[in-house]
Amino acid sequence: MSAERPGTDVVVIGAGIIGALIGRELAGRGLGVVLLDPEPGRGASIGNAGMIVPSFTRPMADPATLWEGLRAMTGGDPLLTVGSLSPAVLTWLARFAVAARPGRAGRSAARLVGPARTAADEYANLAAETGIDLSVAGDGWLQVARSPAVLRRRLLSARALTKNGVDHEVLTQAELRAREPELGPDLAGAVFFPGDSSLDPAAATRAALVAAELRGVIIHSARVISLVRRHGEVTAVKTDLGEFNATHYVLANGAGPPGGRGIQPGWGWSIDVPAKHPPISTPLMGLDDHVVFNPLPDRIRITGGMRIGGTPEDRHDQAATTAIQQAAEQIVPALHDLREGTVTITRAARPMTPDGLPRVARTGRNLITATGHGTLGMTLAPATATTVARLLGHGGHRAEVSR
């Protein structure tokens, strides 16, 4: 059975925020595009924190993170764990350790800041194109710390980003409380990044799919089984709906199978707490526990946790979400009063590369891979779409992300 469509130039595998924006971009340049995903718009993208953060482009693979990770994993921290010790995971961890050499993370961040800074405008364009409210807010991002040592380390990395055009402000404990009175009393201070912004990730993903369809993209709820190859080229995508054929193929399915293409899933959790009047007005992150808060119009999204490797069946939801809630309530005690409400918990896998850089490149004669965005999927998705268009020979002049 063949599901070839006349005029299909590109089949994009994956319909999260990355795949949807790629489809929209390519269709806008005159290409016939088909998007394939078992649940379009229902993958890791909707569990995203919803932050657009040039300030957070420094990869995880640096000496400080390596040391913190080793301490956390050996200390039984439920927010940072390893899902398995399979050969693929052990290889990934070894490559992560190699990538975490001094100086490398700063150079990598410099490459990603430019593409990240274009994202907010691109999402504003997406909202205008579809009429969907993405709850885009340019209120900046507070990064708070209980430990003075943790705050000092973040300030050092913030200063390093200044030369790349990322501005920051340092807030004392008193200044922080004046800005956000509901924060806990034991915070040492904060670093504020005025150039960062936030949005509703589910709304953004939905808008990207709507915009893609408006431009002529055909979306199928199809589970991909395999790529059919012949003489070094992909000739079809085999799915549970049959085979789909095109001239070019784009693999944008996030974490995909564990261990595939050097990618490991970085499982994380998001908790949506209903709140008509959120106790905080500014998005923030607790640097000690890496828990992120995004106040949205009708709820607060709280995200955290990093479990490298493992499968969807290896669930540790209760331990992780309990730890996330406890860490969140240390920073925003008023959240305790909202605990009695109905919360929504989402578990999703971020596609993690060992060096923290996305993989957006031609990986075959007619195959492009666009994955490995880690925690920066929302931030780098618009630039990734531009990069894929360039790789297909339909390039423009907007910011791109490539490796």
Side-chain angles (χ1 to χ4, degrees):
M1 173 181 173
S2 175
E4 182 174 1
R5 298 292 186 271
T8 299
D9 298 300
V10 186
V11 167
V12 179
I13 301 167
I17 191 63
I18 303 289
L21 286 183
I22 289 172
R24 167 182 174 263
E25 182 74 21
L26 297 180
R29 296 173 188 245
L31 296 174
V33 182
V34 169
L35 274 180
L36 303 176
D37 194 292
E39 295 183 293
R42 298 296 304 171
S45 296
I46 63 168
N48 192 284
M51 300 303 302
I52 311 301
V53 283
S55 72
F56 211 61
T57 49
R58 186 181 181 89
M60 280 178 51
D62 68 10
T65 304
L66 178 62
W67 175 242
E68 288 176 8
L70 289 172
R71 286 194 303 172
M73 286 187 286
T74 56
D77 184 349
L79 292 182
L80 184 57
T81 58
V82 174
S84 74
L85 292 178
S86 67
V89 172
L90 290 172
T91 298
W92 190 98
L93 291 172
R95 292 176 62 191
F96 178 89
V98 171
R101 55 188 182 271
R104 189 201 146 275
R107 293 190 296 273
S108 298
R111 295 169 52 184
L112 299 179
V113 166
R117 293 176 70 181
T118 68
D121 288 342
E122 292 297 324
Y123 284 114
N125 293 338
L126 180 63
E129 181 178 342
T130 60
I132 295 175
D133 182 7
L134 308 189
S135 299
V136 177
D139 300 326
W141 194 22
L142 276 170
Q143 299 185 11
V144 305
R146 296 189 303 274
S147 164
V150 169
L151 184 61
R152 284 194 297 270
R153 285 198 296 271
R154 185 62 182 113
L155 183 55
L156 286 174
S157 61
R159 287 171 178 161
L161 283 170
T162 301
K163 64 177 178 291
N164 302 125
V166 178
D167 297 328
H168 70 277
E169 302 170 15
V170 182
L171 302 183
T172 65
Q173 186 181 53
E175 291 168 334
L176 179 58
R177 291 297 301 278
R179 183 186 288 263
E180 292 289 349
E182 293 295 331
L183 294 183
D186 62 342
L187 296 173
V191 183
F192 177 64
F193 294 93
D196 290 352
S197 53
S198 60
L199 49 65
D200 182 335
T205 305
R206 183 171 68 254
L209 289 171
V210 168
E213 287 190 297
L214 288 173
R215 295 186 180 191
V217 174
I218 300 172
I219 302 174
H220 290 285
S221 298
R223 185 174 302 279
V224 172
I225 299 170
S226 64
L227 299 180
V228 180
R229 301 175 189 263
R230 185 178 182 185
H231 303 309
E233 287 192 350
V234 177
T235 59
V237 180
K238 185 179 294 186
T239 78
D240 56 357
L241 297 182
E243 290 188 357
F244 288 80
N245 311 96
T247 305
H248 302 279
Y249 301 83
V250 178
L251 198 59
N253 62 333
R261 306 179 305 279
I263 306 293
Q264 282 296 322
W267 297 97
W269 291 262
S270 65
I271 304 170
D272 283 345
V273 181
K276 292 183 179 179
H277 304 287
I280 58 173
S281 59
T282 309
L284 62 88
M285 178 173 71
L287 292 168
D288 304 81
D289 303 294
H290 299 283
V291 172
V292 177
F293 305 72
N294 183 4
L296 294 164
D298 58 349
R299 67 194 189 281
I300 300 176
R301 166 153 291 188
I302 306 168
T303 56
M306 180 64 73
R307 184 173 178 81
I308 299 295
T311 69
E313 290 73 30
D314 299 331
R315 304 188 71 88
H316 296 265
D317 293 352
Q318 183 171 354
T321 55
T322 297
I324 290 169
Q325 287 179 307
Q326 290 174 345
E329 289 172 12
Q330 280 190 285
I331 298 169
V332 186
L335 287 173
H336 182 76
D337 298 330
L338 301 175
R339 185 185 287 192
E340 299 304 320
T342 301
V343 303
T344 302
I345 297 173
T346 303
R347 180 179 185 264
R350 316 170 184 97
M352 307 296 294
T353 61
D355 60 8
L357 289 172
R359 303 289 192 264
V360 186
R362 187 175 290 278
T363 52
R365 291 181 186 174
N366 63 340
L367 176 66
I368 291 170
T369 298
T371 187
H373 295 76
T375 60
L376 294 173
M378 285 287 160
T379 299
L380 296 177
T384 295
T386 305
T387 302
V388 171
R390 176 182 61 78
L391 290 169
L392 286 174
H394 292 260
H397 300 287
R398 287 180 292 169
E400 300 175 351
V401 57
S402 60
R403 184 183 185 279

